[in-house]
Amino acid sequence: MPLPDDRTALDLLDAHLEALRGGTGLPLPQEPVRLAAEGGGELVRWAFDQLQNIPQEPADVFVRQVGGLLLEFRSRRCSWNAAALRLLDDTYTFVATGPRRYEDWAHDVRAVLHRSVPDPRGWVRLDPDRTNTARHTVPAYPFDPPDASVLPSRLYPLEPQAAVTALAIMAEEWQSELAPVRSRPDRDAVLADARTLLDRYGPAASYWTNATAAASDPAPDFLAAGLEGTGSHGFITFEYLNGLDLFEDLGLIAVSDDEVGVFWAFGAY
């Protein structure tokens, strides 16, 4: 079996760590993962060595430590990953990018929402519902996206700086936020991470949101309103599944010639 290239090695080890964290992987690396460690770069070898040094028992401690390793591995992989994890890993959010395949990018957005396309660069996705059994009932859960012919009518264009602030307030909680981004001491760092995420799509990218504040103004002050003060057209399902009721959402879509990025925050109880 030939040694994989560095991108393949990174992807293989990421998938293996994800499986171990979810309890579905083997406790010891399989042959492709071992070859990935041999053929990959410094980061792959570092993570593989760290994995080998994690005791396999007790099982719950092993899973927790693998989860920590996966987080560190993804953060070290690229600055985009690190910014995504810092900004949005602690809130109920969906972050994913897919390839741009259609002139009508609404089809590409729906593909991302349905998890039917991979990230073109192999970078991190934040998707707490990826393995949720609710998707057996609602395949795009927690989304109930409209058809591609209707989807753009539920969105409004945003100027780039407004897109940055819309993304930044997704670091807040919907109804229990004690420290809105506008008043945080790390406000500038939060905005910098949001800019890093959107820089991926290039200076010619267009931005769209379901926030109704953008209906009459492509540059609403999302920071002043905060997440709780931002109304929107819902893209979420109203099915009550697994004891979770979804009640609010805020979305941001970035469209470039090559990619579509989808960032979404959810309120639930």
Side-chain angles (χ1 to χ4, degrees):
M1 183 180 294
L3 293 174
D5 58 35
D6 192 51
R7 162 71 187 274
T8 301
L10 288 163
D11 290 348
L12 278 170
L13 188 53
D14 188 289
H16 186 67
L17 291 171
E18 176 72 38
L20 290 174
R21 184 180 65 171
T24 59
L26 295 174
L28 292 175
Q30 297 171 287
E31 185 68 8
V33 181
R34 184 186 64 78
L35 287 173
E38 292 179 1
E42 181 180 348
L43 177 58
V44 172
R45 290 190 292 272
W46 169 83
F48 188 78
D49 289 343
Q50 294 293 313
L51 176 60
Q52 288 187 307
N53 289 325
I54 297 176
Q56 296 172 31
E57 298 293 340
D60 60 331
V61 175
F62 175 74
V63 168
R64 186 166 61 251
Q65 291 185 346
V66 167
L69 173 59
L70 178 59
L71 185 68
E72 180 66 19
F73 172 70
R74 287 174 170 171
S75 292
R76 292 188 182 198
R77 183 166 180 176
C78 66
S79 59
W80 195 91
N81 283 3
L85 292 166
R86 280 193 305 265
L87 185 66
L88 299 173
D89 194 40
D90 289 335
T91 55
Y92 186 8
T93 55
F94 175 88
V95 175
T97 297
R100 176 85 184 272
R101 294 174 173 170
Y102 297 91
E103 179 67 26
D104 180 0
W105 48 261
H107 294 283
D108 298 309
V109 171
R110 281 180 53 86
V112 173
L113 299 181
H114 282 272
R115 289 87 160 177
S116 61
V117 290
D119 185 294
R121 309 187 199 191
W123 291 355
V124 72
R125 288 188 165 194
L126 303 181
D127 184 6
D129 293 299
R130 183 177 60 84
T131 59
N132 191 334
T133 57
R135 294 189 61 212
H136 299 164
T137 304
V138 181
Y141 187 90
F143 300 100
D144 183 14
D147 291 338
S149 60
V150 177
L151 189 149
S153 68
R154 305 279 293 277
L155 299 168
Y156 304 105
L158 279 182
E159 293 183 1
Q161 181 54 32
V164 169
T165 58
L167 183 54
I169 66 168
M170 293 184 195
E172 299 177 5
E173 299 286 352
W174 277 97
Q175 293 192 345
S176 59
E177 183 56 65
L178 300 177
V181 169
R182 62 180 176 271
S183 62
R184 293 183 187 180
D186 64 344
R187 172 184 178 276
D188 290 346
V190 170
L191 290 169
D193 279 341
R195 290 189 191 95
T196 294
L197 295 182
L198 298 186
D199 283 349
R200 166 178 183 164
Y201 308 99
S206 60
Y207 300 100
W208 304 82
T209 182
N210 65 332
T212 54
S216 58
D217 179 7
D221 190 347
F222 287 106
L223 280 186
L227 192 60
E228 186 176 348
T230 301
S232 65
H233 291 304
F235 273 61
I236 52 177
T237 180
F238 291 103
E239 293 269 5
Y240 181 74
L241 299 167
N242 294 348
L244 191 65
D245 208 351
L246 300 165
F247 59 89
E248 290 176 296
D249 66 307
L250 172 64
L252 173 67
I253 295 169
V255 180
S256 74
D257 289 341
D258 302 315
E259 297 179 325
V260 292
V262 179
F263 305 86
W264 228 269
F266 308 100
Y269 59 85

